[in-house]
Amino acid sequence: MSEPQYTSSAAAPRHLQVVRHSPDAPQPAPPLPTYPWTARLSSREGDVLRLLAEGQSTVEIAHTLFISPATVKCHVARLIAKVGVRDRVQLVIAAYRSGFVRVD
């Protein structure tokens, strides 16, 4: 088989065009800061944290996830330790501030 024949337009060098942003153009949002604790959460802890941020109680989370209330309390205690906060309220605040849970 022979090598394919290239036309002069296909083999012509290509140049990049510099595009300048106008000062009136909206600037991209700065990236959210990364929080190391978000990578250490198990999937179940993430589920519990999302439901907790929605305002569900321990019993409601247990019914939603088909686990016992004691297991929910255990997950919440582990979350508090991993995130390094004092209580459930600060845990929810940390979830929103980190971007782990987003405001709709």
Side-chain angles (χ1 to χ4, degrees):
M1 293 197 159
S2 66
E3 291 187 26
Q5 298 297 321
Y6 293 103
T7 63
S8 62
S9 63
R14 296 180 186 191
H15 299 283
L16 296 176
Q17 181 181 6
V18 176
V19 178
R20 301 197 193 287
H21 295 286
S22 70
D24 299 332
Q27 299 297 319
L32 288 174
T34 56
Y35 294 85
W37 61 264
T38 58
R40 294 191 310 256
L41 299 183
S42 69
S43 61
R44 184 56 88 177
E45 288 169 340
D47 295 340
V48 170
L49 183 54
R50 284 183 196 90
L51 294 172
L52 193 62
E54 287 179 7
Q56 291 192 17
S57 69
T58 300
V59 174
E60 291 170 332
I61 294 170
H63 287 304
T64 302
L65 298 178
F66 301 102
I67 57 179
S68 73
T71 303
V72 174
K73 290 178 184 179
C74 183
H75 285 305
V76 170
R78 287 185 186 155
L79 283 165
I80 288 171
K82 283 185 179 182
V83 178
V85 293
R86 184 178 57 230
D87 54 23
R88 292 167 69 120
V89 173
Q90 287 186 341
L91 185 60
V92 171
I93 292 169
Y96 281 106
R97 283 187 178 165
S98 69
F100 187 79
V101 176
R102 301 222 186 262
V103 178
D104 291 335

